Each structure stands twice: as structure tokens, then as C-alpha cells.
Amino acid sequence: MTTPVLSLRDVRLTLGNNAGRTEILKGIDLNVTAGETLGLTGPSGSGKSSLLMLMGGLDRATGGSVKALGEDLGSMNEDQLARFRRDHMGVVFQSFHLIPTMTALENVATPLELAGNSDAFELATQELEAVGLAHRLHHYPSQMSGGEQQRVALARAAAPRPEILLADEPTGNLDGTTGAAIMDLLFGLRDRHGSTLILVTHAPELAERCDRIVHIQDGQLA
Amino acid sequence: MTHSVAMAWRLTRRELRGGIKGFRIFLACLILGVAAIAAVGSVREALRAGLSSQGAVLLGGDASVSFTYRFAEDSELELLTDTAEVLSAIADFRSMIVVGDERALTQVKAVDDAYPLYGRAELDPPMPLATALDGSNGQPGIVLDDLLIDRLGLQIGDTLTVGEVPFVLMAELVSEPDNATAGFGLGPRSILRRSALEGSSLLSEGTLFDSHYRMRLTTGGIDQAFAELMPKLEANGARWQDARNGAPGMRRLIDRLGAFLVLVGLAGLAVGGVGISAAIRSYLDEKTGTIAILRALGAERRVIFLTYFLQIGILTLVGLALGVALGALIPVVMVPMIAQSLPISAELTLYPGPLAEATLYGVLAALLFTLWPLARTEEVKAADLFRDAALGSNRLPRPLFIGLCVGILALLVWVAAKLSGMEALAMWSFIGLGGAFATLVLTGIAVRFAARWLGHRKLLRRVPTMRMAFTAVGGPGGEAGAVVLSLGLGLAVLAAVGQIDNNLRGSISRDLPDVAPSFFVVDIQPDQIDAVKDRLESDPFVSRIDTAPMLRGIITKINDRPAREVAGGHWVVQGDRGLTYSAQPTRTTVVDGEWWPEDYQGPPQISFAAEEAREMGIGIGDKLTINILGRDITGDITSLREVDFSQAGMGFVLTMNPSALAGAPHSYIATIYSEKEGEAAILRDLGNAHPNITLISVRDAITQITGLMGQVAAAITYGALATLVTGFVVLMGAAAAGERARTYEAAILKTLGATRAGILLNFAIRSAVLGAAAGVVAVAAGGVAGWAVTHYIMEESFVFDLPNALAIVMGGVFATVIAGMLFAFRPLSTKPARVLRARE
């Protein structure tokens, strides 16, 4: 049996404040194998994006365990998690989350620089060329369209060749045509690098491009 | 209109229900600025009130008539006795106290039985002054400042001599009531009875002393006494002072220093203004959505403007009230501290004048710095709801608002100029602040460009943290402009004050020539001068001796017109001046006219200092009348000389031909240039051989004057502390405003694999870069301001204080890094998912 790239056991997430506590995830068990593409679907507020954040170590589960490449993310501190993402993961967000004070090239080069790659800018240039943005290398995010920004975000996530690619509704802020182009690029990058892809989406037609679809309803796998 | 106001008021109340969270920096800046100005004004008023109410005590009488180097003649004394209810005559002079081989310079007050007319001298052990001066065992008594007692190792009951007269030390002089009028004394005070000096040469004709005739007058008799006395006495060289302005020197110092500190306070308010403006801009940016919704719902721009104007107006009132209250309380703490180093007691009460002045400055500054960002609320349109719009557009407000801002600024400058009484300084202060403001704005832009350029260089790609820090400083939405301006303006004020402080403290010692005399010697009688010269000329340590006959006189008329009418307030005609006579021009150069022949016996001729003559508008051929010891001598100016008063040697504005003055009673003065090793022996030998002469150590005098300058400089530096605190608050405001952006950036960087230490270093580098840029500009601006004040106001040569400048730059870096680090806690501790998802 193949060792899972991601392994979630009874994962729970409860968020709360003075106004009360909300159970977001109520015991999720899930394995993702190497090279698999997994679609996470579900209605708004079902907990799918929260689950993706836990997989990326961007948030901590309040119960259960999240293991990535055999490492327990719950036992790592913030810096260990950051280094783990740097070495093994790429994340794409719905709102792109580019650093506004950096150009497209600098945004893509940043994770490579953090990893100590001496060819960071050359690789970043190639990655941007691969997503069709060779002419936008020195533009700031505010000077680009939403579709272009998301292509930069894709290039940034894929540039370090991560084993795991996490994408949180990457077309959520884009029109249909642009969104379709982005999805083509995302799957193209995944195919090229052989990464494991977990894609959060509420669009069934996008999920259907994945090897497997997992539906979440009210914090539980349906 | 009424409906608009009512609507705006309702909206204002609803908005204010949310609390004042967004206004903390606004309030802090306003409170600090207003409090500093109110406090300075209140302290100044408290000291002024102290001066006014104690005028008679400080002066030593309701009125005083003074003569230089002479006592009143019998006819003058009769006039004074007839006018005063009680008359007290004292003499004030420098002398040496001798105990064995030890000797020390002292400023002697020789009093009569009526002294003091007002107040009382405090002695330790406590006893009436009259009892102390009676002395014991047939010897007259003396009381001394504790500095003298310590220096000479004296005990109560010990015997000492002043000149050649023996006294018994009866008590330590803890305080004298009239010590604010004596002016600057080079030696610590001693009080003795004048009658004890009779028969000695200490107060003989030709020696240097002042006599003061203090009068107790019937109520309202000051004007009457002036009218009776001065028309008859003024021509004799008498000077008048009365209790309405008992200590004019002290009052002038307090007024000048107070006005200067108010200007420093205004600079602090300007620094705070940057924070106020930034806080309002940031608050209104957050309100863009609300404003767009209100516009969509049909609110006119007038209603929108009024809504936020009222909000800020209410908070301004709160800030003013708190600032004024704090400013009124600060003197309670400050005045006792200040009073310790002043000879007057201040009257602590509430002074509405300075509080109103501070309120006026606060209102104008708040209006000036809020109106511009407020005017931008008018630009928000309903359509902005659908765009990522903010108030940060670069469009100018309507001309009406621009006009209002210019008008308020002009009013602020005018008010500061009028209220400070230092119009030119106020004007230049505003020009300096404006220049610094503009320079800092341009620097902010330049730093962004430079950082962007550097961040894109291949060289920095090898140092990712550095590269990221520079691109962050240079990228869009960077905080370079805000930080450089908010920190730089505060640092510029500090740098200016620092440079002024250094030049003030160093002005005396720096301007001295390399070889300054060791001693000034005064009161050498004509029959002693040869013996003095003999002693010094045989001394191997002495390299030079200059001697000159010394008289004092007042220039009363120029070309038969009153001198003050012709020469205005020039210092040469304001009091008595030293003058000399000489057959040959020694150690001087005649630049115009002809020096008299060596054996000249004709009508009096005058050689005048060239620079002073030019300033007074007089020259060759003009006729001067000089009152010397009550006698008028009139002569023509026949030559002009170069006189350098900065060389610490002898310098006489007026020199006359010998036959004009040689018959008048006079003494000699001398300057002695000696190696340090020879000074003690000179002091001892001359003191023993000629007990009446006074040796003033130049080194001691410089120490004392430098100490006095240091006190003035310290007052200015303390005044600038409010600016420093305000600057830091503004900086914290700028750092706080950038916290959200940094939290977001940190979340992305963490997602990409950056560690917290790496992110912290990134933040620290940017802070350091911005702090250094602000510091460098501040040092440049402060240096220019310091030079201007030193050169034009203090009329001293300026020396750039490099250590101070480096401290300012380092301080700037340190403050920015600290502020940056304080606001790095949240960005570093927040989980990326929370931040990033909140932005989805």
C-alpha cells in the first residue's frame, strides 16, 4: 500500500470568541496519496477551505492529527511549519495574496530565495514565461488584472516544485473564461511537476477534473 | 442648511458611539503639543508674577539711584534724603578675601544700618544681619556665601581680611533678598558694613565700585520721586530703577527664554500635526465605505463634510481641554525645580493668558492639519463602493479648502510672531519648519526610488532578506513617506536644539584665543602700578603683561544731542563704559583719521572703536560728551581703531589723549599672561603686597559663565523633550498604521516558507533604513537651523557638533526600529490562515 502524502485522523477545528464557539470541522479522516489530484467540494461555510488550511499548516487543528509526508504538523512550531511549506508545499489562494510591494518576478522568486536557491530569479522568470507573463515580469500586482495576478500566484506556488500543491478556490474571483484558463494552467503545472494537488472548489465541473472528489457538508465528509 | 447640520449631528453621534480607538494618536499629539505650550507659558507667568510682586524686595527698595565709581555728592545725597521716606546706601564691588595664604574673589556688598529696606537676609546660624555685621571682640562682622566658606576652609568665628581690613566671620549667608539685581557677579557674595571699610583704599576714588541709593517711598511715590530726582541727577550719570521692574535682566531672560521655548513648543505642535493629519487620513480611509454608502443613500457632500468635521471638532475640544489641564498642572512640578536655580520665588496659580494662548495654537494647528484630509471626504462618490477606492488620491481639495488652509497657516504665523514678541525668530522658525517639511517629503520620495532601484539590483539578490526589505520600502503603498516625515520633523527640531545647545555651551571657551590671559587685575592704584610691573616682569612664567589706565564714563551727548537719541539702543550708550588714555596707539591699528601727537596738550581728542562707530552712525569729526565721575568732558573723534573684543584681552571703545584724562582720579587694570605653574605665586604675591587690588582668574570666570550658558541650554533642551515625546508618538502612530499591511505581508511570507526571525530581520532593516534617512535629513535641517540661530540671534560663530548629529541619526534608527519591533508582535504571532482568509 502507498504511504499517504497527507493523512488526517479525526481532525477537528473549533473557533470561538466571546460571542460563542463554532465547530468548523467535526472529525475528518482522510488520506491523499502521492500524485493524486483531489477535489474538495461543498457549500459555502462547510469547512473545506479550513480543512485545506490545516493541510498546509496555515492553521492548527484543535483535535486529531494532520500528517504531511509522514510529519505531524501539529507537533511543529510556526517556524518549522514555515520551513516545511518552503520545502514541500505550494499554496494558491482565491484572492491571489501577492505581496503588493513586490513585482511579479520578485513575488515568484521569493519562495526560491527563502529556500536558498541561487538561481531564484532565473527560475522565476522561466515560471512566469510558462504561465504567459514574460511581458509582466516587472509589474506590481496593482498594475495587473485579476487573471494575471492569479497566474503569478500559480507560478509562485509551482516554482519550488513542491510535492504538494494546495489550491483554495483559485478561480473564485475570476470570470468564467479567465477561470478556465487558470485551471488549465494549474493542472498543466501539476502534470509537469507531478505534484499532489488538493483543489478546493464549489464548482462541480472543476472538481470533476480531479482523480477523486471529496464532499464536505457541515464540517464532516459526506 | 439647518437640516444638513441636524443630520450631520445625528450621524456624528452614531459614529462616535464606536469609541475613540482611531483617534488615540490624534488626541495624544494634540494633548502633548498644547500641554507643552501651556506649561511653558504658565511657568513664564508664574516667574513674571513672582518678579512683579517681589519687585521692591528684589530691587532692595521702591526705587534705586545708582552711580558708577563714586558715591553721591553731598548735594545729591541731600536730594535723595529729602525724597525718600527711608534711604539706604550700599556699595557693590569685587575684592579678594584673604585667609593666611589662601585668597578668593568675592562680590562685596557694603551696606548701611538701614539695609535691607525690604525682605531679610537669611543667615546660618540664624541671627539678624545687623547683629552679624556688628561682629565680636571689637572686630567688624562679615557674612559669606557657603562657596567661599568651603573654598577657604573657614569656621564661624574665624578672622579674615577683605583688602587690608580684618573681619570676623559671623555666619553663612543663606540668601539675600536683593540678589536678582546685582547682575552677573564673578565671585560669590559677601556682606559687610560699609563703615568698617572707612580708612581703607577699597572704596577710594578711582576704584571700581557701584553705589546704590535705595529708597522706601510713600505709596504711589515712584513717579513723583522720579520726577523730582532724575531731571537733576541724570546728567551726573545717575541710573534709575524702580520696583515696577525690579530685576529687568531677570525679566528679560525669562521673557526671551519663555518666548523661545513657546516657539520650540510650536515646533512640537507641528510635529504632532503630522501625526494628527496621518491619524485623520487613516481614520477617513477606513470610513470610505461608510461615506460611499451615505452618498448612495443621498447624503450631500456638505452633510458628509459636516459629519466628520463635527466628530473631529468634538475630539479636538476634548484634546484641547486635556492638554490645557495637563499644561496647567506641569508648573506645579516644574516651578519648584526651576525656582531652585533662580533668586526669585514664583507664584503658582492658574494663569488664563498662557492657557488661552496654548488653546489658540491648538485650535489653529488642529484646523490646519485636519482640514486638508477632511476636505477629501467630498471626493468620495457612491460608485466608490464598487471599487477599491480610498482617500489617498493625489487630487487637491477644492480651492476653498486650499485657501482656508493657507489662511489658517498665515494666521498661525502671525499669532506666533505677535505673541512671542520675537517676530523675526517666529517667522524664520516657520520658514525653517516649512523647509524641513518639504525636504522630508522629497526625501521620502527619494528614499522610495532609491530603495526600489537597490532592491532590483542583482547584487542584492544574493541577500534575500535585504532585497525584500528594500523592495518593501520602495514598493507601492510603502510607508517611507509617512515614517520619514513623522520621525524626521521631530528629529530635525531636536537636532536644531542640540546644535544650538552645543554652540551656546561652547561659545565662551571656543571664542577665546589660543593664549588667553590668566588674570584680569583691577583697582591697581597709580602708586602701585610700577611695583606690580616689577613683580611680573621678573617672573619667568609670565610671557606678557598689558596695563592701561582705567576710568569709567557715560557717553551722554553726541554732537550736543542726547546720545540715546542719536545711537538708539546701542550697547555703547546704554551704561557706563571703560575708557583709557594713551599717548601712543598700543596693540591696536588706526584705520581712519590721525592719532594725536605724543606730547599733545590741546582740546580733548577721542579715538573710537571703528566697528562700534559704524554701528552707531558716527565717525571722524563727531563730538562726544562723556560724563566721568560727574564731570563732563567733550572731545572730537579724530581717529578710528580696530578693537577685537573677542580676544579676551583689553579692549576700550574710547581712548583719549593723556592730558584730557590724566588729572582725573583713576586706577589701572592689567592683563597677565602666565604659565599655569606661575599663577598661584602671582595671586599670592600681588595679594600680599597690594591687598586692595583684585585678581580675577579668567579660568574661573570662564567656568562660571559656561555653567550659566549650560543652564540656559539645558532649559531649551528640556523644552524640546515635549517635541521628542510627540515625535515618538507620531512615529508609533505611523508604525501602528502600517501594522495591518505588515501582518498581511508576514502571513504571505510565512506561507511561502519564511521564518519569524527572517521576517523580523526584514522589518528591522526597513525601519533602520527609514530611520537613518529621517535622521540624516533631520541633522541637515537641524544643522541649518542651528547655524541660523547661532549666527543671527546669538551672533556667535557656529561649529557643527558631529557627535550630536551622529546621536540624532542613531537615535532615529533606534526609535524607528523600536517602534517597528513593537508593532511586529502581531504580524509575527498571527496564524497565516486567519489573516489570509479574512481578506478573501
Side-chain angles (χ1 to χ4, degrees), chain B residues 598-777:
Chain B
E598 199 165 346
D599 55 352
Y600 177 74
Q601 295 291 328
Q605 290 193 14
I606 298 167
S607 180
F608 207 88
E611 187 178 339
E612 281 65 29
R614 194 165 50 247
E615 289 166 2
M616 292 164 65
I618 57 176
I620 304 283
D622 283 323
K623 187 164 72 175
L624 303 183
T625 303
I626 303 141
N627 184 292
I628 299 167
L629 297 172
R631 284 186 288 276
D632 281 344
I633 295 178
T634 301
D636 291 335
I637 298 176
T638 52
S639 66
L640 298 175
R641 289 165 296 126
E642 286 294 354
V643 181
D644 186 357
F645 289 101
S646 70
Q647 293 301 301
M650 276 186 216
F652 290 94
V653 173
L654 268 160
T655 299
M656 298 182 82
N657 61 301
S659 64
L661 294 175
H666 63 271
S667 60
Y668 282 80
I669 63 166
T671 50
I672 304 169
Y673 295 76
S674 164
E675 301 285 327
K676 200 178 170 193
E677 295 90 318
E679 289 180 2
I682 293 170
L683 190 62
R684 187 186 60 237
D685 293 352
L686 290 184
N688 287 342
H690 316 286
N692 63 299
I693 70 171
T694 302
L695 285 94
I696 299 161
S697 160
V698 172
R699 189 173 294 113
D700 288 352
I702 289 168
T703 307
Q704 201 176 346
I705 295 169
T706 306
L708 196 74
M709 290 290 188
Q711 282 183 7
V712 173
I716 296 170
T717 305
Y718 289 136
L721 277 180
T723 309
L724 176 68
V725 176
T726 309
F728 195 68
V729 167
V730 175
L731 180 68
M732 296 290 273
E739 190 187 36
R740 246 178 92 190
R742 279 196 296 278
T743 304
Y744 177 55
E745 192 185 333
I748 299 174
L749 286 170
K750 280 190 208 174
T751 304
L752 301 177
T755 60
R756 285 172 294 187
I759 296 170
L760 193 65
L761 183 61
N762 176 343
F763 290 169
I765 292 170
R766 327 175 179 181
S767 296
V769 167
L770 295 178
V776 168
V777 176

Side-chain angles (χ1 to χ4, degrees), chain A residues 15 49-50 53 58-60 77-79 82-83 85-86 91 93-95 97-103 105-107 109-111 113-114 121 140 142 156 168, chain B residues 452 455-456 460-461 463-464 467-468 471-472 474-478 744-745 747-757 830-834 836-837 839-840:
Chain A
L15 298 180
S49 289
S50 296
M53 294 295 132
L58 295 166
D59 205 349
R60 284 180 191 279
N77 67 26
E78 282 294 311
D79 289 340
R83 280 193 283 268
R85 279 191 297 272
R86 180 189 74 189
V91 190
F93 299 93
Q94 179 180 342
S95 294
H97 292 321
L98 300 178
I99 298 175
T101 54
M102 292 188 193
T103 61
L105 181 63
E106 287 161 351
N107 261 289
T110 296
E113 288 180 285
L114 290 170
F121 280 83
Y140 286 98
S142 58
R156 186 177 69 181
D168 184 13
Chain B
R452 191 181 306 175
H456 294 168
L460 277 189
R461 287 182 182 174
V463 201
R467 197 275 297 164
M468 285 181 219
T471 49
Y744 177 55
E745 192 185 333
I748 299 174
L749 286 170
K750 280 190 208 174
T751 304
L752 301 177
T755 60
R756 285 172 294 187
T830 311
K831 303 236 174 347
R834 307 279 162 88
L836 299 177
R837 293 204 60 201
R839 290 239 181 175
E840 296 283 295

Side-chain angles (χ1 to χ4, degrees), chain A residues 126-145:
Chain A
Q126 289 168 18
E127 212 63 44
L128 281 166
E129 284 167 357
V131 296
L133 287 179
H135 62 299
R136 292 287 203 207
L137 296 183
H138 302 296
H139 284 66
Y140 286 98
S142 58
Q143 297 168 320
M144 291 186 281
S145 69

